[in-house]
Amino acid sequence: MPMLSGCAGAQSMLDPAGPSARAIALVWWWMLGVAVLVTLGVVLAWLLAMRRGSGPEGVATEAHAARHGQRWIVGGGIVLPSLAIAALLLFGTPAGLHQLPLPASWSGGGAQGVAPLRVDVTARQWAWALQYPDSGVRLQNELRMPVGRPVDIHVGSDDVIHSFWVPRLGGKIDAIPGRINVVRLQADVPGTFRGQCAEFCGLNHAHMVMAVIAMPADEFDAWLAAQPREGAR
């Protein structure tokens, strides 16, 4: 559909390629649907109010108008926001759990029983330095990962605050100087995705991008074994 043509692509969060991104996209679609219903309801209520107030039969007493206004304040200002926040917590919390470095035995955190791969990522103006600590392999502005295996990304910064984001695989995590944050990603299909710094970090912020290449597990193992080592952990 032409209306959905912008929902796909290498950097679209609405074209998920992993469990974390799918959970986030599902929450987004639910939020969009509820927002549309609320907007239609508000417009309908406005039209009804305009119609009732358009003639002599629509003139209400002051007491009736006060009671009517109180009902709208309670319903629209207390009940509706409370229900919306509760629903958002109900649907949004499980989506966030997908991004946490939980034990591999937890069925919602990635492939069942598969140990996560660790990748250390250091952000600096304006590039990404990556290291696989178990093997000593280092990369620049490129992340390679096996399909179907959770990957724990340990993110830090050498200068200012950056934000690590691969929209088709998961949510954002801040890269903060002097601190390490961890986000779990997983790709369920092979392909090349686009990572982006999502926090304005200076003049060349828009060019601080990363190629994320998801490979079948056997191809990834062969690629990793063929890379030069710089000292494993």
Side-chain angles (χ1 to χ4, degrees):
M1 294 177 59
M3 293 180 60
L4 299 178
S5 60
C7 297
Q11 202 173 353
S12 174
M13 59 160 286
L14 299 180
D15 187 17
S20 179
R22 274 196 299 273
I24 294 172
L26 180 61
V27 172
W28 188 91
W29 283 112
W30 272 102
M31 290 176 63
L32 175 63
V34 171
V36 170
L37 291 177
V38 170
T39 301
L40 292 176
V42 171
V43 171
L44 179 61
W46 171 68
L47 292 175
L48 289 175
M50 294 292 290
R51 181 182 180 188
R52 289 177 179 175
S54 62
E57 70 281 358
V59 178
T61 65
E62 184 175 345
H64 175 76
R67 290 195 301 271
H68 193 67
Q70 289 174 354
R71 287 197 295 268
W72 276 105
I73 291 174
V74 173
I78 298 176
V79 176
L80 181 60
S82 298
L83 291 175
I85 293 173
L88 183 60
L89 288 174
L90 179 65
F91 285 100
T93 299
L97 293 177
H98 284 274
Q99 300 188 102
L100 298 178
L102 298 173
S105 58
W106 184 66
S107 60
Q112 181 79 12
V114 179
L117 174 69
R118 173 171 174 166
V119 179
D120 295 339
V121 177
T122 302
R124 60 176 62 96
Q125 294 173 311
W126 290 273
W128 303 96
L130 299 95
Q131 180 181 15
Y132 297 76
D134 292 332
S135 60
V137 172
R138 294 179 181 269
L139 296 175
Q140 183 88 357
N141 295 330
E142 180 179 296
L143 168 64
R144 294 198 179 225
M145 57 192 298
V147 170
R149 181 180 177 184
V151 180
D152 288 346
I153 310 293
H154 293 243
V155 183
S157 172
D158 276 349
D159 39 47
V160 300
I161 296 177
H162 302 271
S163 185
F164 177 93
W165 188 31
V166 186
R168 292 193 63 196
L169 297 183
K172 307 171 187 176
I173 193 75
D174 282 344
I176 302 174
R179 179 173 177 175
I180 299 298
N181 290 328
V182 183
V183 63
R184 175 166 293 177
L185 302 180
Q186 180 177 319
D188 287 342
V189 294
T192 299
F193 313 107
R194 191 174 190 266
Q196 173 73 55
C197 177
E199 179 81 21
F200 180 73
C201 55
L203 181 63
N204 290 322
H205 159 72
H207 302 289
M208 190 172 172
V209 298
M210 176 194 317
V212 181
I213 303 172
M215 312 167 66
D218 54 345
E219 293 184 15
F220 174 81
D221 292 339
W223 168 83
L224 193 64
Q227 300 307 302
R229 266 65 172 164
E230 297 187 20
R233 182 179 58 185

